[in-house]
Amino acid sequence: QPALTQPRSVSGSPGQSVTISCTGTRSDVGAYDYVSWYQHHPDKAPKLIIYDVSKRPSGVPDRFSGSKSGNTASLTISGLQADDEADYYCCSTGGAYDLSVVFGGGTKLTVL
Amino acid sequence: EVHLLESGGGLVQPGRSLRLSCAASGFVFDDYAMHWVRQGPGKGLEWVSGINWGGSTVAYADSVKGRFTISRDNARDSLSLQMTSLRAEDTALYFCTRDLRTEVTGELDYWGQGTLVTVSS
């Protein structure tokens, strides 16, 4: 169950857009649409911001969007705001066979 | 309002056991799969274990397989994690989380605040 691969850090200025990639394999990200993304501020519980690759839970602004191509999923945050500075994690099911779940290593977003 | 409250964390010696509990409220507990996710000091999120709505299907990360056991009591709206043969690398904040669905998908819409487990002699 190797972790999904994410860049360790990304940065952008307020108002700009950033994209965080999440690379898995054809057994996890590439095989299923159970790809989710989480925003994690220090000392708070992680928050679900994208599920089923591209759906947003109620209350999550449409500045957050998700997509997938092959074995790589992506999270795009547009119109960056200071409060977007946080750690972001992708997550995927490992499949119906072993029912495993795997997270990415996390990406630190810095708003300059 | 959905609420997940973990308990049972603490300081434990290597090789010993510990049982974590999660009390759920604000939703129909047996309509959802549940999971444990942990975060070690200075590390990222790591999925630990998941269980489907009825408890008939369970899954574990390779790092805890054979040592940890997840279970649920739908009559009491509670989730548990029995941890045995604990190692220093199990030191982490353990989160109780709710899956979006009845079966294990790993899409986690609610999280508790976590309970801290420290494994040290």
Side-chain angles (χ1 to χ4, degrees):
Chain A
Q1 300 164 336
L4 306 176
T5 301
Q6 297 181 232
R8 293 185 65 88
S9 65
V10 297
S11 63
S13 300
Q16 289 186 331
S17 296
V18 295
T19 296
I20 300 172
S21 61
C22 169
T23 301
T25 70
R26 60 183 180 182
S27 296
D28 39 58
V29 174
Y32 303 93
D33 283 343
Y34 293 141
V35 176
S36 51
W37 289 89
Y38 303 85
Q39 178 190 63
H40 191 196
H41 287 110
D43 299 324
K44 286 191 173 182
K47 176 185 176 183
L48 176 68
I49 55 174
I50 294 288
Y51 68 99
D52 290 358
V53 175
S54 60
K55 298 177 181 176
R56 284 185 307 276
S58 173
V60 174
D62 59 7
R63 300 187 298 105
F64 294 88
S65 62
S67 63
K68 187 181 82 167
S69 178
N71 300 336
T72 298
S74 298
L75 171 71
T76 297
I77 308 171
S78 59
L80 273 177
Q81 300 178 0
D83 190 52
D84 295 335
E85 184 161 300
D87 294 321
Y88 291 83
Y89 295 88
C90 62
C91 183
S92 174
T93 181
Y97 179 68
D98 65 1
L99 298 176
S100 64
V101 174
V102 60
F103 279 94
T107 299
K108 170 65 177 178
L109 168 62
T110 300
V111 179
L112 302 170
Chain B
E1 181 185 359
V2 172
H3 194 54
L4 300 171
L5 181 63
E6 303 94 338
S7 61
L11 174 63
V12 61
Q13 293 179 329
R16 304 297 291 265
S17 300
L18 202 62
R19 186 178 184 89
L20 305 184
S21 297
C22 171
S25 60
F27 64 101
V28 180
F29 186 65
D30 53 8
D31 275 352
Y32 297 90
M34 299 292 293
H35 300 256
W36 290 97
V37 174
R38 69 186 181 184
Q39 184 174 32
K43 297 184 179 180
L45 299 176
E46 180 188 15
W47 176 79
V48 174
S49 181
I51 185 168
N52 76 334
W53 69 277
S56 61
T57 303
V58 297
Y60 300 94
D62 287 346
S63 58
V64 306
K65 202 170 291 183
R67 300 187 300 123
F68 290 11
T69 302
I70 191 172
S71 62
R72 64 188 296 159
D73 184 341
N74 287 346
R76 300 187 177 188
D77 293 351
S78 69
L79 177 73
S80 296
L81 185 69
Q82 179 68 44
M83 304 184 295
T84 64
S85 302
L86 282 163
R87 306 166 180 168
E89 53 264 36
D90 295 318
T91 294
L93 185 64
Y94 284 73
F95 295 100
C96 170
T97 72
R98 189 184 85 167
D99 201 295
L100 279 175
R101 298 174 174 87
T102 56
E103 299 298 326
V104 169
T105 68
E107 299 191 310
L108 313 171
D109 61 349
Y110 285 94
W111 298 60
Q113 291 301 310
T115 186
L116 183 63
V117 173
T118 302
V119 183
S120 174
S121 55

